[in-house]
Amino acid sequence: MISASISKILNFSCVDGPGNRMVIFFQGCNYNCKNCHNPQTIGVCNHCTACVEHCPTQALQTKYIDNKPKVIWNKAACTECDKCIEVCPKQASPKTESISVSQLIEKIQENRLFINGITVSGGEASLHLPFIIALFRLVKTTASLKHLTCMIDCNGSLGTTGWKHLLPYLDGAMIDLKAWHDETHHWLTNRSNHRVFETMNFLHSHNKLHEIRLLHIPDKTDFIEHIEQVSRFLRPFSDSVTIKLNAFRQHGVTGEALNWDECSKEEIDHFHNELAQRGVQNIVLPAMY
């Protein structure tokens, strides 16, 4: 069975898709967002062992496999102090688990009576496409699980060919549009946004686009500056797709983003009103600020 590096599993979540959901967070991302709230999920541990000696509870140990060092994480001994992430040259978490599709199916079975579906997230979930296809296929073909919806929360960088392979098992996708202009998007994420637009259009044409997410960072993202073009793009989606506005917070961020202004309720309300006045429907505002 295929395995993947998993950073966290939430048995129950009501903010990662419709209903109550189990959420699987994969390790590793192809974006390097300045504002990432989970920067420890971007990099993948290369087992340099720099973190081991700094662990105050000895939850990290070095084990040699084929004469190569490997960092082993003892979940039971871990206090989640995150000292390992602080000292890591890559700021990557060693606190991940290699989990197979069959093992994950067992976890889903344990919670199947209490959830409406599963959501894969990250990091960037679409980097683990073969794993996700195998997982979703099993959910859809297992009698006790086929009532569950299968959704993905991602940055939209997966190519059309990849989406075509996933479509038969996918109930919906939640896509982040980080910025409107490619130049701004590249500055923020170190990647182009051209494929994100292709992804949204492709998924919408197959009735698989569940939600478009826009993060407003005052004086950094450019949605307000280009509100006419943004609204024109969103209008055809908004009769069937949720347009979710998120407000930037410093929680979890590192580097220069710690000095950025947080987004206020007034700024999000203004963003909402500008979109609504231009015919964008189905807008969802943050539940908390």
Side-chain angles (χ1 to χ4, degrees):
M1 271 289 185
I2 306 172
S3 295
S5 181
I6 306 295
S7 63
K8 183 189 297 184
I9 297 175
L10 292 181
N11 289 332
F12 310 106
S13 170
C14 59
V15 295
D16 295 280
N20 195 21
R21 311 188 68 77
M22 175 183 281
V23 188
I24 300 101
F25 295 89
F26 290 84
Q27 182 73 17
C29 186
N30 56 343
Y31 278 18
N32 190 22
C33 297
K34 297 177 184 293
N35 61 293
C36 183
H37 293 278
N38 299 292
Q40 73 278 4
T41 67
I42 295 176
V44 177
C45 176
N46 63 359
H47 301 281
C48 72
T49 73
C51 58
V52 174
E53 64 179 306
H54 295 279
C55 179
T57 63
Q58 296 184 318
L60 299 174
Q61 300 290 329
T62 302
K63 181 178 181 180
Y64 283 86
I65 301 175
D66 296 329
N67 294 320
K68 295 179 181 179
K70 184 176 178 62
V71 177
I72 304 298
W73 174 50
N74 181 353
K75 188 175 183 179
C78 181
T79 60
E80 299 291 344
C81 70
D82 287 344
K83 184 66 176 179
C84 54
I85 297 171
E86 180 183 329
V87 302
C88 176
K90 298 181 65 178
Q91 201 180 0
S93 174
K95 301 180 293 182
T96 61
E97 296 180 271
S98 180
I99 299 179
S100 70
V101 171
S102 58
Q103 289 174 317
L104 200 46
I105 286 292
E106 289 179 11
K107 292 179 181 290
I108 296 170
Q109 287 279 16
E110 293 171 1
N111 293 279
R112 70 185 186 280
L113 300 180
F114 311 103
I115 58 177
N116 301 102
I118 62 172
T119 297
V120 293
S121 187
E124 176 49 38
S126 68
L127 297 181
H128 305 269
L129 187 62
F131 184 98
I132 294 171
I133 291 173
L135 176 66
F136 284 5
R137 183 193 293 124
L138 262 179
V139 170
K140 294 301 185 182
T141 55
T142 301
S144 58
L145 300 178
K146 62 182 181 181
H147 66 286
L148 300 176
T149 56
C150 296
M151 306 193 73
I152 184 170
D153 181 351
C154 73
N155 60 27
S157 62
L158 182 65
T160 300
T161 300
W163 285 115
K164 287 179 179 177
H165 290 307
L166 186 57
L167 279 184
Y169 317 104
L170 179 69
D171 290 294
M174 295 161 283
I175 306 296
D176 289 312
L177 179 59
K178 309 285 188 179
W180 179 251
H181 267 190
D182 188 59
E183 182 179 356
T184 306
H185 191 276
H186 200 281
W187 170 79
L188 189 64
T189 71
N190 204 34
R191 292 292 295 266
S192 169
N193 66 2
H194 292 158
R195 189 170 285 174
V196 184
F197 288 108
E198 291 176 3
T199 287
M200 289 187 288
N201 285 317
F202 177 80
L203 291 174
H204 187 243
S205 70
H206 289 84
N207 298 314
K208 299 290 186 178
L209 184 59
H210 175 74
E211 185 173 87
I212 297 174
R213 295 175 174 175
L214 309 176
L215 176 66
H216 184 39
I217 309 175
D219 302 318
K220 297 294 185 290
T221 49
D222 57 356
F223 298 119
I224 297 295
E225 180 183 353
H226 303 288
I227 194 67
E228 292 292 344
Q229 298 99 310
V230 173
S231 300
R232 193 178 307 120
F233 175 76
L234 292 176
R235 275 198 300 268
F237 296 95
S238 65
D239 59 342
S240 60
V241 175
T242 300
I243 310 299
K244 187 173 183 179
L245 307 185
N246 288 325
F248 170 72
R249 288 289 176 270
Q250 292 179 352
H251 176 72
V253 304
T254 58
E256 65 180 275
L258 285 169
N259 298 314
W260 294 355
D261 292 334
E262 293 189 329
C263 182
S264 67
K265 182 179 185 300
E266 290 72 23
E267 287 169 311
I268 281 290
D269 286 343
H270 173 68
F271 189 10
H272 166 266
N273 292 338
E274 291 293 312
L275 290 172
Q277 288 172 10
R278 290 165 174 82
V280 179
Q281 308 173 60
N282 205 18
I283 304 171
V284 174
L285 300 179
M288 298 178 63
Y289 292 88

